[in-house]
Amino acid sequence: DIQMTQSPSSLSASVGDRVTITCRAGQGISTSLNWYQQRPGKAPNLLIYAASTLQSGVPSRFSGGGSGTLFTLTITSLQPEDFATYYCQQSYNTPLTFGGGTKVDIK
Amino acid sequence: QLQLQESGPGLVKPSETLSLTCTVSGGSISSTSYYWAWIRQSPGKGLEWIGNIYYGGSTYYNPSLRSRFTMFVDTSKNQFSLKLSSVTATDTAVYYCARLQYTRRVIGGLDIWGQGTMITVSS
């Protein structure tokens, strides 16, 4: 299985801040990396697929980058609705595996 | 707009078999561009991929779950289903169904999710 490691596991930020979350894969996965947002009590929502492609309907303040083993999710100008938990997930190989999550809360 | 809806018993006794169904509405399950997946999330924990199925019936399972899971697809009802045998308390989780992108033989992201159904294993 490909292990996915996210950092940090949690962070506190203010509205308007720029936030970057890192995801590291246990082996090279090219750009087969997806990012999700999950609000409490809700299903995850796909934000970015193929490492850097913004899913339809997702605000442009979200962006993704990276390839191989190191990936980033950046939120420019954090909005109140962005306080949530974020997960990375690799689709390079089965079993599909997720990172442990990064919780973004209000400072 | 395509939507997914899980249905299940809510409460299951240990050692019994859990059956879940995901109904697809607003679109066809018989698409060559998608797989249909099950994912679960234990209380306060992260996400675990269970497996996915193609409309033609081919399946991929998470080998760490020790073959207790079986998936089915019923294209006439636009549904896919999951069975989990010999449940234990560790199977208590929210179970989600989702659509998995599959374009030019490349798997992408899980782009549409059901709302999830909470399954508790308890006597």
Side-chain angles (χ1 to χ4, degrees):
Chain A
D1 299 8
I2 299 176
Q3 182 154 1
M4 307 301 294
T5 304
Q6 287 182 235
S7 61
S9 57
S10 65
L11 65 91
S12 296
S14 301
V15 172
D17 282 354
R18 178 187 180 95
V19 167
T20 298
I21 298 168
T22 298
C23 177
R24 189 179 299 271
Q27 67 180 70
I29 59 170
S30 184
T31 56
S32 300
L33 190 284
N34 311 301
W35 289 98
Y36 302 86
Q37 177 194 67
Q38 186 177 33
R39 297 190 178 107
K42 300 295 186 182
N45 180 49
L46 179 66
L47 299 174
I48 288 169
Y49 63 94
S52 61
T53 304
L54 200 64
Q55 174 70 356
S56 176
V58 174
S60 59
R61 62 181 179 273
F62 291 93
S63 64
S67 66
T69 62
L70 188 61
F71 302 86
T72 57
L73 172 70
T74 298
I75 313 170
T76 58
S77 189
L78 201 65
Q79 297 301 299
E81 60 268 29
D82 300 337
F83 292 97
T85 300
Y86 293 85
Y87 294 93
C88 62
Q89 174 249 323
Q90 65 81 19
S91 52
Y92 185 78
N93 263 347
T94 56
L96 308 182
T97 47
F98 293 85
T102 296
K103 184 175 181 180
V104 178
D105 62 21
I106 301 172
K107 184 185 288 184
Chain B
Q1 181 168 344
L2 191 131
Q3 293 183 314
L4 304 180
Q5 177 67 58
E6 306 90 349
S7 56
L11 180 65
V12 187
K13 290 182 168 56
S15 80
E16 291 188 342
T17 294
L18 166 65
S19 293
L20 298 172
T21 296
C22 183
T23 301
V24 179
S25 59
S28 175
I29 200 171
S30 301
S31 169
T32 58
S33 299
Y34 302 101
Y35 277 99
W36 305 93
W38 290 97
I39 303 97
R40 69 180 181 180
Q41 186 170 32
S42 302
K45 299 287 182 63
L47 297 157
E48 180 176 41
W49 174 76
I50 295 170
N52 45 267
I53 188 165
Y54 198 55
Y55 79 95
S58 58
T59 55
Y60 296 88
Y61 296 99
N62 189 333
S64 70
L65 298 175
R66 291 179 292 176
S67 302
R68 295 189 296 123
F69 288 92
T70 308
M71 291 182 291
F72 308 89
V73 63
D74 187 337
T75 55
S76 68
K77 294 182 179 179
N78 230 29
Q79 294 176 335
F80 60 107
S81 301
L82 177 71
K83 287 190 186 298
L84 172 59
S85 62
S86 304
V87 299
T88 69
T90 59
D91 294 313
T92 293
V94 176
Y95 286 76
Y96 295 101
C97 60
R99 189 177 78 170
L100 179 63
Q101 298 167 330
Y102 180 56
T103 306
R104 293 189 292 275
R105 301 176 68 114
V106 174
I107 290 177
L110 296 147
D111 65 351
I112 299 177
W113 295 63
Q115 65 185 23
T117 185
M118 180 68 205
I119 299 298
T120 301
V121 179
S122 175
S123 55

